[in-house]
Amino acid sequence: MFKRATGVILPPPVIYVLFLAVAWLLEWLIPIALPQNLWTHYIGWGLIDAGVLLMLWAGLLMLWRKTTVNPYGKPARLLEEGPFRISRNPIYLADSLIYCGIALLWGSLWPWLLLPAVVFSMQRGVIVHEERLLTQLFGDDYRRYCGRVRRWL
C-alpha cells in the first residue's frame, strides 16, 4: 500500500487496535473467560496508567528534543536519555502495556493468545524498518546504542 520513509504500512496504534478487535471478535464467537477479581481490575488499570505515562514521557521528550514522534517521519536526532535508556521503543512498550491492561480488564484469554502475534507484527512491520532507517541516519552511534539498550526491555 502506502509505504513511507520507514517502510511502515499501518500506524502502530492501529496494529494494537486491530488485534484487540480480533480478540473481541474471537471472544464473541468462542468465549474463553479468565477469572477476574479486584486485583485484575487494579493491575489492569495500573498497566494502562503506566503505558500512558511512559508514552507521554517518551513523546514529550521527542518533542522537546525536536525530533519526530511520527513513525513515518525522519528522525532529527538519536535519543538515548529518559525512557530511551531502558528501551529503544518506549512508545511501543507503552502500547503493549496498555494492550495488556485492556486484556486484564476484559477477562478474556484471546488477547493474551494474540499478544505474541502483536509483538511479532510490531517487530516485523514497524520496528525493523525504523531500525534500518536509524542505522542509515546515525550509523555507528545507533549500533552502539543497540548494543547498550534492548529493543523492548
Side-chain angles (χ1 to χ4, degrees):
M1 295 255 152
F2 297 103
K3 288 191 178 187
R4 309 291 170 112
T6 61
V8 177
I9 295 174
L10 289 175
V14 172
I15 293 170
Y16 284 91
V17 169
L18 284 175
F19 274 97
L20 286 170
V22 169
W24 179 82
L25 179 64
L26 288 168
E27 179 63 25
W28 182 71
L29 292 171
I30 309 166
I32 307 176
L34 291 177
Q36 285 192 295
N37 58 41
L38 196 56
W39 287 107
T40 57
H41 178 81
Y42 286 134
I43 294 170
W45 280 111
L47 288 171
I48 291 169
D49 292 345
V52 168
L53 290 173
L54 178 58
M55 189 177 299
L56 286 171
W57 185 20
L60 289 172
L61 179 63
M62 293 170 87
L63 292 173
W64 183 50
R65 293 295 187 193
K66 295 180 177 41
T67 192
T68 184
V69 180
N70 182 349
Y72 299 124
K74 183 178 174 183
R77 65 185 63 214
L78 178 62
L79 296 180
E80 301 180 53
E81 59 192 295
F84 295 91
R85 287 179 297 175
I86 58 169
S87 173
R88 294 195 316 253
N89 299 289
I91 293 178
Y92 303 149
L93 177 59
D95 287 333
S96 297
L97 289 171
I98 293 167
Y99 177 97
C100 290
I102 292 169
L104 272 177
L105 293 176
W106 274 359
S108 169
L109 183 60
W110 287 112
W112 298 106
L113 293 175
L114 294 175
L115 182 60
V118 174
V119 171
F120 179 79
S121 297
M122 286 299 298
Q123 203 137 314
R124 298 293 301 162
V126 178
I127 294 171
V128 167
H129 301 290
E130 288 182 353
E131 288 179 342
R132 189 176 306 127
L133 177 63
L134 290 167
T135 301
Q136 290 170 358
L137 293 172
F138 303 111
D140 288 336
D141 289 339
Y142 183 68
R143 285 185 201 84
R144 282 190 293 277
Y145 173 66
C146 289
R148 287 190 316 274
V149 179
R150 295 174 56 120
R151 184 177 280 150
W152 289 92
L153 267 182

